[in-house]
Amino acid sequence: MRNYIESTLIKSLNKLMANVMVATPERYSDILFRMQIEEGIHFENAESVYEQVKSNIENDVGVPPVQRELMILMEMECAQEIEKTLHARNWWLAEADEGDYFVTADRPVNLIWKDGRPVAPGFGVLGTIVAFPVSQKLLLVGEFGGKKGRTIAPSEFVAMFNGVIISHAFERIFAANIHFKFRTTEGSVYTGEKIFNY
């Protein structure tokens, strides 16, 4: 599982960094110049093949790999910044009411927009929620300027977050039983028996 997540993440990061490298001819030239200065690497006719390099990257042909050490360094730098934003949030516990249960997954931490926008936000962005199921009855929720304490969560809230957790899972979801409720992205609410239909 860890290898799958790591390989998927590294592949996405390789593609992202390669796209940034060829975003403009000027950026591409600047990167090549810095590689010559800092690492003594010289590329023959590199600037004349910009369009070909850009096309290869867009078509997933010859995407340069990211070194593992660079990725670890980037994760450590990002973790420090993310930690600051997590401390800036107000945290509260949502408790599932009688008969309701939270599910969890192989990707339990979820960062979403409060207004339900489908695009992924950043940890430091206002109007976002970080949520993590602590147990089948408790969900830890952090938001900027939000409430604190503990609240009994209505059934609709539990179904909505179960839907979020399920939709963000890599491969597996975990539940106390099949009677949990989840809301689909279309807004329909089902019980766990229907999970294999989605």
Side-chain angles (χ1 to χ4, degrees):
M1 181 65 194
R2 182 183 174 95
N3 289 341
Y4 168 77
I5 293 170
E6 203 170 88
S7 68
T8 304
L9 182 63
I10 288 172
K11 194 180 291 184
S12 298
L13 188 59
N14 285 345
K15 177 85 172 180
L16 178 68
M17 291 179 75
N19 280 325
V20 167
M21 185 177 87
V22 296
T24 66
E26 295 80 18
R27 180 172 288 159
Y28 179 71
S29 294
D30 182 55
I31 288 171
L32 293 181
F33 177 73
R34 282 190 284 146
M35 288 174 76
Q36 283 180 313
I37 300 295
E38 294 172 10
E39 300 181 30
I41 300 171
H42 180 71
F43 301 95
E44 294 294 326
N45 303 319
E47 296 199 22
S48 63
V49 295
Y50 166 75
E51 290 299 329
Q52 181 62 49
V53 171
K54 183 175 181 175
S55 174
N56 286 352
I57 289 171
E58 288 171 350
N59 295 310
D60 284 329
V61 178
V63 175
V66 175
Q67 291 180 334
R68 185 180 194 96
E69 293 81 7
L70 174 62
M71 189 169 160
I72 291 169
L73 176 65
M74 291 172 63
E75 286 178 358
M76 290 174 66
E77 289 173 354
C78 287
Q80 291 172 355
E81 293 305 312
I82 291 171
E83 182 183 5
K84 292 175 190 173
T85 69
L86 294 176
H87 285 293
R89 292 176 183 267
N90 289 340
W91 293 90
W92 56 281
L93 282 170
E95 184 177 353
D97 207 352
E98 191 70 34
D100 284 327
Y101 305 93
F102 288 109
V103 299
T104 192
D106 52 9
R107 186 178 175 192
V109 178
N110 291 274
L111 173 64
I112 61 169
W113 290 101
K114 286 171 99 171
D115 63 10
R117 282 180 259 179
V119 294
F123 277 96
V125 180
L126 297 176
T128 61
I129 294 173
V130 176
F132 177 89
V134 178
S135 72
Q136 66 187 24
K137 297 301 271 182
L138 295 174
L139 180 78
L140 184 60
V141 181
E143 52 189 320
F144 294 110
K147 58 186 167 189
K148 294 181 179 181
R150 186 177 184 140
T151 304
I152 300 295
S155 193
E156 300 81 29
F157 179 90
V158 175
M160 186 270 296
F161 262 103
N162 282 345
V164 168
I165 292 164
I166 290 166
S167 69
H168 287 100
F170 284 114
E171 291 182 331
R172 294 178 178 85
I173 62 163
F174 307 96
N177 58 52
I178 60 172
H179 304 297
F180 65 89
K181 296 179 187 119
F182 69 98
R183 190 175 80 190
T184 65
T185 52
E186 296 82 31
S188 301
V189 176
Y190 297 100
T191 57
E193 293 94 349
K194 302 281 187 185
I195 193 68
F196 296 109
N197 298 339
Y198 295 92

